[in-house]
Amino acid sequence: MYWYENAEAAGWVVGRDIYAARPGAVAVWGGGAGHVAFIEHVTTEGIEVSEMNWSQQVCAWSSRFRTSAWGRVSYAALTWEEAHQRLSHRFVGYVYPVRRELPDFEV
């Protein structure tokens, strides 16, 4: 969750409504070190994201935690339900690509 809190403290516009996704925003999930993904597209069914270091499988050859997607950009289409909970990571909110001092941006 520190991604969200740090962005908010630094003056970025944030929001917790999962349905308020916008292209260019960053989705944030909590749990462990957390996870973030860039919102590419928003559909009526959910969001399409690009992200790195996310996989549901851990590499067997690695002596430390590392996913099979380590260091690679991957793309995923997530339904709203899938976006709400990704494995042990619960949706925290979005960080929008605009600073709070710009009054014309609405979430």
Side-chain angles (χ1 to χ4, degrees):
M1 192 150 94
Y2 66 89
W3 293 99
Y4 184 92
E5 293 167 343
N6 287 346
E8 185 175 34
W12 294 100
V13 173
V14 296
R16 293 190 185 272
D17 180 359
I18 196 166
Y19 302 107
R22 302 285 185 274
V26 174
V28 179
W29 289 272
H35 185 67
V36 294
F38 181 80
I39 307 287
E40 299 281 351
H41 302 285
V42 180
T43 69
T44 56
E45 291 84 29
I47 56 177
E48 296 175 9
V49 301
S50 58
E51 58 195 337
M52 291 185 74
N53 308 332
W54 178 266
S55 175
Q56 294 187 16
Q57 299 187 5
V58 176
C59 291
W61 52 264
S62 181
S63 61
R64 64 188 183 101
F65 179 78
R66 189 178 272 203
T67 72
S68 58
W70 193 261
R72 298 180 187 171
V73 176
S74 59
Y75 298 88
L78 306 172
T79 65
W80 295 117
E81 185 177 324
E82 291 168 333
H84 180 71
Q85 182 79 35
R86 298 186 79 190
L87 298 178
S88 63
H89 300 278
R90 182 174 288 282
F91 176 79
V92 174
Y94 298 111
V95 178
Y96 298 99
V98 66
R99 304 293 277 194
R100 269 197 306 265
E101 57 270 10
L102 300 177
D104 59 343
F105 186 84
E106 291 186 28
V107 176

